[in-house]
Amino acid sequence: MHTIAAIATPHAAGGIAVIRISGDTAISVAQQCFRSTGGKSLAEMSGYTCVYGSFLDTAGSELDDGIATVFRAPHSYTGEDTVEFSCHGGIFVTRQLLETVYAAGVQPAEAGEFTKRAFLAGKMTLTQAEAVMDVIGAAGKRELAFAHAQQNGALFHRVQQISQGIVRSLGDLAAWADYPEDEIPAVTPESLHAALQPVLEQLDSTLATYDYGRILQSGVSAVIVGKPNVGKSTLFNLLSGSQRSIVTEIAGTTRDVVEEQIRLGNVTLRLSDTAGLRETEDVIEQMGVKIAEERLAQADLILAVFDTTRPLDDDDRRMLEQLPEKPVIAILNKSDQSAQLDTDELEPHFSRVITMAAREGSGLEQLQQAVEELFYQAEVTPELGIVANARQKQCLEQAREQVQLALEALDAGELLDAVTVLLEEAANALLTLTGERVSEAVVNDVFSRFCVGK
Ligand SMILES: Nc1nc2c(c(=O)[nH]1)N(C=O)[C@@H](CNc1ccc(C(=O)N[C@@H](CCC(=O)O)C(=O)O)cc1)CN2
Ligand SMILES: Nc1nc2c(ncn2[C@@H]2O[C@H](COP(=O)(O)OP(=O)(O)OP(=O)(O)O)[C@@H](O)[C@H]2O)c(=O)[nH]1
Ligand SMILES: [Mg+2]
């Protein structure tokens, strides 16, 4: 395939930067950009060897010194001939070296193109390729364990098992059609139904892992809400370890949503601080309130904050009514001062109530514990495989729908041909999931979400 190149390391100053060149002419084009100190040509080198020398600029003058590593097809990440240049990690130096490589006749790599080539070369399945980005994005030990399990084919195998169930039923249907009347093996609509029911259940249990997969991958979207001045921004700053959100004693301080990704124990939160919820004449504050209400609807987790130094009032009560049906943790803040809040009215609304003094930093352990209880699913093991993204979920939903329709068709006594068509569609949806039978458009879509250089 035509030769591509990209910077594989972050586009920032660093100790070393790596430029990866992969494709049919990788070694010869790399040779045009590099002179080894000992006079060795890259063409003479075997795979997995490296050599020290100088990188050249487009005019052929020395640009930097560094290391070139040669990989020989098929033993490389992409399965193609590959050369990696490790140069000094300056943004300008790296960019200049990349220009030299382009000038030697190499195309810029598209997002995810190296991994796409690895997939097309049969080095990995589509779900394994998707897991590469999850390894990069993993925020902690557990996230990494799940990404590694996916890289090892956890979901792939789980889906293959489901496929086998469908294929077995398709085989039975074919036998039914092929045998003359009197030789029909023991295939009946009832037996087909009994064989497909577990398939439906496997699809459901696999689909059920999606919510957890999403949280592992992108974190829990959490929103801090409450009436003005209860200490939402103080809590936000405490959790994010920053002073990003402005804190004052004036009610109505926060208007824009302030966001940070934070780690609380074993859980990543995408945390938003919002404007205090109240009825107000101030147009800007009204807009802040509106955005806060939208966030409330989208969040996975709500941290509802109350000020214990004041009795519950109408603003608090209005907020209580606005809380959607989703995980909520009530935070009784300012516990360092004498309490005026009667918690009896609050408790029926919340299964988790935590007393804190955000300004002092107390109550954080209890909050962490509550969040982990809600979102850290220790019992889910990585090896079983989880649905890691929306594309995979969509394929499973499609398969589920077809199997469901097939079951209904069987019950309704419809022609077995109709059942066959439905099951073939279900099997196809699963082949799309694993990438075993997938359109170019789907493949392109998957890899377009990757970073350039991966
Ligand atoms: N320098 C460097 N480090 C890197 C990468 C890379 O491309 N370059 N990777 C990029 O993501 C990851 C490693 N991925 C790789 C996967 C397979 C092969 C490889 O050579 N595979 C051969 C040999 C396998 C074997 O010995 O068992 C093969 O598949 O035939 C190389 C890198 C992380 N570290
Ligand atoms: N005593 C005490 N005061 C606190 C505590 N947390 C916050 N405060 C004070 O409460 C006031 C309001 O805090 P903010 O964090 O700005 O409150 P908010 O809920 O973000 O307010 P708005 O943005 O206006 O909705 C500030 O004067 C804080 O210092 C606490 O734990 N104890
Ligand atoms: Mg605030």
Side-chain angles (χ1 to χ4, degrees):
M1 232 183 286
H2 74 270
T3 302
I4 52 170
I7 300 167
T9 38
H11 295 233
I16 298 170
V18 173
I19 290 179
R20 177 152 56 178
I21 310 165
S22 179
D24 295 340
T25 61
I27 293 168
S28 62
V29 292
Q31 185 58 63
Q32 294 176 49
C33 316
F34 179 75
R35 294 281 168 276
S36 79
T37 307
K40 198 171 194 175
S41 149
L42 296 176
E44 311 163 26
M45 289 167 54
S46 41
Y48 301 128
T49 61
C50 56
V51 64
Y52 175 73
S54 310
F55 299 118
L56 311 176
D57 66 17
T58 46
S61 328
E62 189 173 322
L63 175 72
D64 187 22
D65 64 319
I67 305 280
T69 309
V70 172
F71 299 78
R72 294 268 176 194
H75 299 303
S76 69
Y77 181 65
T78 56
E80 305 173 321
D81 277 352
T82 298
V83 176
E84 289 180 356
F85 286 159
S86 314
C87 62
H88 289 94
I91 296 172
F92 179 71
V93 169
T94 311
R95 189 70 219 172
Q96 285 298 108
L97 182 53
L98 186 63
E99 289 301 330
T100 313
V101 174
Y102 289 162
V106 173
Q107 301 289 310
E110 286 168 17
E113 197 170 0
F114 294 100
T115 310
K116 181 175 163 183
R117 289 183 177 202
F119 164 69
L120 294 174
K123 296 258 167 200
M124 52 181 92
T125 68
L126 203 54
T127 48
Q128 285 172 322
E130 286 174 314
V132 169
M133 284 310 281
D134 296 341
V135 170
I136 292 175
K141 205 169 153 186
R142 190 163 168 81
E143 287 83 347
L144 188 58
F146 273 91
H148 279 156
Q150 297 285 87
Q151 266 195 319
N152 291 330
L155 179 66
F156 180 78
H157 292 127
R158 186 167 181 164
V159 170
Q160 268 203 330
Q161 258 173 4
I162 303 176
S163 295
Q164 276 160 15
I166 297 174
V167 169
R168 235 176 280 126
S169 293
L170 278 167
D172 287 348
L173 281 160
W176 173 288
D178 289 348
Y179 278 74
E181 196 89 23
D182 49 353
E183 283 179 49
I184 290 175
V187 181
T188 60
E190 292 71 30
S191 71
L192 280 166
H193 189 117
L196 280 176
Q197 191 61 42
V199 170
L200 194 70
E201 281 156 22
Q202 282 174 311
L203 283 166
D204 279 334
S205 65
T206 308
L207 272 166
T209 65
Y210 174 64
D211 280 342
Y212 192 50
R214 191 174 59 80
I215 279 164
L216 281 171
Q217 209 187 39
S218 351
V220 175
S221 142
V223 61
I224 304 176
V225 293
K227 73 176 179 195
N229 215 40
V230 292
K232 299 181 294 300
S233 299
T234 308
L235 175 65
F236 179 88
N237 289 343
L238 172 72
L239 290 171
S240 64
S242 72
Q243 296 301 319
R244 276 213 49 208
S245 204
I246 298 170
V247 169
T248 74
E249 64 290 346
I250 303 161
T253 298
T254 305
R255 275 96 188 279
D256 280 326
V257 176
V258 186
E259 289 178 287
E260 277 282 339
Q261 180 153 316
I262 66 146
R263 189 85 178 156
L264 200 55
N266 286 304
V267 181
T268 297
L269 299 183
R270 283 180 290 117
L271 190 65
S272 313
D273 180 26
T274 62
L277 298 172
R278 68 167 167 188
E279 300 204 321
T280 165
E281 296 302 310
D282 182 318
V283 182
I284 303 171
E285 198 183 342
Q286 277 173 3
M287 292 174 90
V289 170
K290 190 160 167 282
I291 300 170
E293 287 168 353
E294 284 166 13
R295 289 299 169 110
L296 204 54
Q298 293 159 6
D300 300 316
L301 168 67
I302 295 162
L303 302 178
V305 185
F306 298 88
D307 181 348
T308 49
T309 67
R310 290 166 195 280
L312 209 66
D313 66 16
D314 288 344
D315 285 330
D316 289 313
R317 291 193 186 93
R318 210 171 300 119
M319 192 260 277
L320 284 175
E321 282 163 23
Q322 271 179 285
L323 291 176
E325 284 286 324
K326 55 175 78 172
V328 187
I329 299 172
I331 293 170
L332 310 183
N333 193 32
K334 309 195 187 182
S335 65
D336 53 308
Q337 297 200 336
S338 65
Q340 299 294 320
L341 184 77
D342 180 5
T343 55
D344 289 351
E345 198 181 330
L346 282 181
E347 257 143 24
H349 291 272
F350 301 102
S351 52
R352 290 179 171 78
V353 179
I354 287 160
T355 304
M356 288 189 82
R359 203 167 65 181
E360 321 293 322
S362 70
L364 208 50
E365 298 81 35
Q366 289 91 311
L367 178 60
Q368 175 175 322
Q369 200 185 334
V371 168
E372 286 191 332
E373 274 169 23
L374 283 165
F375 293 103
Y376 184 73
Q377 299 189 5
E379 74 287 358
V380 182
T381 54
E383 293 71 31
L384 282 181
I386 52 161
V387 182
N389 58 48
R391 183 194 72 84
Q392 296 170 355
K393 175 175 170 249
Q394 226 171 27
C395 293
L396 282 166
E397 278 173 349
Q398 249 167 37
R400 193 205 180 280
E401 183 171 348
Q402 303 303 321
V403 171
Q404 174 76 50
L405 288 173
L407 283 168
E408 284 166 19
L410 284 169
D411 293 349
E414 275 178 41
L415 285 179
L416 294 179
D417 277 356
V419 180
T420 301
V421 170
L422 291 165
L423 290 184
E424 276 168 354
E425 277 183 40
N428 277 337
L430 297 183
L431 289 172
T432 303
L433 196 167
T434 57
E436 289 165 286
R437 188 187 302 167
V438 69
S439 71
E440 206 182 326
V442 170
V443 172
N444 289 343
D445 182 58
V446 166
F447 291 103
S448 69
R449 292 169 213 278
F450 279 48
C451 45
V452 173
K454 189 66 242 180

